[in-house]
Amino acid sequence: MADSSPLIIEPRQARAADATVILLHGLGADGHDFEPLVPALPLAKDLAVRFVLPHAPRMPVTVNGGMEMPAWYDILDMNLGRRIDEAQLKASANMVHGLIDAEIARGIDSRRIIVAGFSQGGAVAYHAALTYPKPLGGLLALSTYFATATSIEPSEANRALPIEVHHGSFDPVVPEALGHEGAERAEALGYAVTYRTYPMQHALCPEQIEDIGQWLNARLGAKEA
């Protein structure tokens, strides 16, 4: 049986981590999907970040003909609203809460923990970050949507959480309209949201990777690289 423990990438520097980024992959992938992103980020030299990349469990996915694959939750309908199994999404968000708890237990201040996610992982990241009972450092939502916007009960501890939303203007998998709508729904709930688009499909691009690195530097209080 495959090891389900998250992929852990320790800081480049030979010193203990002082911040953590928890990054959730998309449907059908695993924690290794964004492993190449970590060394590509222009992080400041004085910033020691641990990256935690968990693996989603395998489950049947309705919109893919019931095929079993790594997924954070089942997608029941690919309409504009993305009908999903919300209980499974919330269970995945609770798993993320456990990862945050573990990082705090390892000595990381909750305010120096960033929750991030791509596509389906981003929908989980939205819910996990906004419901966590201690203040976090930020939420990074990549090519995703705010699946629980109408049912979420946000934590007061993260009412001031900064949210960074990125989306490809040519995304054929998660239309940009869904990403923009998610950002607007978060703003309607009172969050400070920055929304950026890039001329790409359902992916990451070099300009975006630069922006992610600089955003992490700013959020985690480091000087520019």
Side-chain angles (χ1 to χ4, degrees):
M1 185 174 178
D3 183 8
S4 61
S5 301
L7 171 64
I8 307 292
I9 303 176
E10 293 292 350
R12 306 167 192 173
Q13 302 89 334
R15 62 184 176 90
D18 60 22
T20 299
V21 174
I22 298 172
L23 175 57
L24 280 68
H25 62 76
L27 178 66
D30 64 18
H32 293 280
D33 195 42
F34 284 113
E35 190 174 3
L37 169 65
V38 176
L41 290 170
L43 297 181
K45 293 180 176 63
D46 60 347
L47 187 59
V49 183
R50 173 184 297 121
F51 285 81
V52 177
L53 285 67
H55 310 290
R58 295 183 67 86
M59 66 176 67
V61 177
T62 301
V63 296
N64 287 341
M67 185 181 299
E68 190 176 278
M69 63 185 64
W72 299 112
Y73 53 86
D74 190 14
I75 300 175
L76 305 171
D77 190 351
M78 289 291 277
N79 59 17
L80 192 60
R82 283 296 197 282
R83 195 163 61 90
I84 66 163
D85 188 318
E86 194 166 301
Q88 290 175 342
L89 183 151
K90 291 178 178 178
S92 292
N94 286 337
M95 178 278 298
V96 176
H97 286 181
L99 294 176
I100 298 170
D101 292 342
E103 289 304 299
I104 293 172
R106 295 177 76 177
I108 305 296
D109 187 319
S110 68
R111 295 173 180 83
R112 296 183 62 73
I113 297 175
I114 303 287
V115 177
F118 177 84
S119 195
Q120 197 187 51
V124 175
Y126 259 118
H127 195 85
L130 300 186
T131 59
Y132 192 69
K134 296 179 182 178
L136 298 171
L139 166 63
L140 178 61
L142 306 171
S143 301
T144 190
Y145 53 102
F146 192 174
T148 55
T150 59
S151 63
I152 194 169
E153 296 180 7
S155 165
E156 289 302 318
N158 280 298
R159 280 294 186 179
L161 187 72
I163 302 175
E164 179 89 354
V165 179
H166 294 179
H167 217 102
S169 53
F170 306 120
D171 193 331
V173 178
V174 179
E176 192 202 341
L178 278 181
H180 192 260
E181 178 187 57
E184 288 185 329
R185 287 186 167 189
E187 285 183 330
L189 290 172
Y191 295 98
V193 181
T194 299
Y195 184 78
R196 303 180 195 273
T197 59
Y198 301 87
M200 63 180 183
Q201 296 191 7
H202 198 59
L204 299 181
C205 67
E207 179 188 356
Q208 179 188 20
I209 292 170
E210 176 73 21
D211 288 343
I212 291 171
Q214 298 305 334
W215 182 76
L216 290 174
N217 288 337
R219 289 308 315 146
L220 298 174
K223 299 180 178 65
E224 290 189 1

